[in-house]
Amino acid sequence: MMKELNMKVNPLYSEVDLSIQFHFEFVQGESKVGEALVSTYSILDSNETLRQSKSASFAKTQKCAVIDRFEVINETEKTCMKKLRHFLQVIGMKEIHSGYNLYRKA
């Protein structure tokens, strides 16, 4: 029977590109089976109108995620990606892009 796959999340702030990054570590039982790095950005939604208050106008922004690195062992790839995408959707990522080369550990 396969041990449950757990995901640990460590948020980081990047001053270089002004993004919030998440480092994910995938663990099955006592063993690390992979990791991922995701950057998140705010994007201007051109389809939305500006919100106005008494003193200023604000453009509505959406959140976008880019998977920069995704390294897992073969048999856990789909499960790890499913957990990763679910987390990103829960925190409000409207778009999720893959900006990585898939690395598999033997």
Side-chain angles (χ1 to χ4, degrees):
M1 184 170 170
M2 186 181 254
K3 294 179 184 174
E4 185 177 340
L5 183 73
N6 293 308
M7 181 175 71
K8 296 178 183 178
V9 182
N10 184 25
L12 310 160
Y13 178 73
S14 173
E15 290 184 21
V16 174
D17 57 1
L18 303 177
S19 69
I20 296 175
Q21 296 179 330
F22 293 94
H23 177 258
F24 297 87
E25 189 173 291
F26 303 101
V27 178
Q28 194 168 40
E30 299 283 324
S31 303
K32 179 178 171 182
V33 296
E35 63 183 356
L37 184 64
V38 176
S39 298
T40 61
Y41 304 93
S42 292
I43 54 175
L44 182 61
D45 189 344
S46 60
N47 295 328
E48 294 290 328
T49 58
L50 294 177
R51 290 183 279 170
Q52 300 214 351
S53 70
K54 292 180 181 177
S55 60
S57 295
F58 300 95
K60 184 172 182 180
T61 58
Q62 299 291 334
K63 296 180 213 170
C64 171
V66 177
I67 303 170
D68 298 313
R69 190 175 75 223
F70 184 73
E71 301 175 16
V72 297
I73 59 173
N74 295 342
E75 70 267 6
T76 61
E77 179 183 333
K78 288 182 182 179
T79 305
C80 291
M81 183 58 77
K82 184 177 178 180
K83 283 184 173 273
L84 177 64
R85 286 186 171 276
H86 177 73
F87 174 84
L88 294 172
Q89 289 173 345
V90 167
I91 64 168
M93 295 298 120
K94 181 176 178 169
E95 299 177 19
I96 302 171
H97 301 279
S98 297
Y100 67 93
N101 291 324
L102 184 62
Y103 297 101
R104 294 183 180 160
K105 295 182 178 178

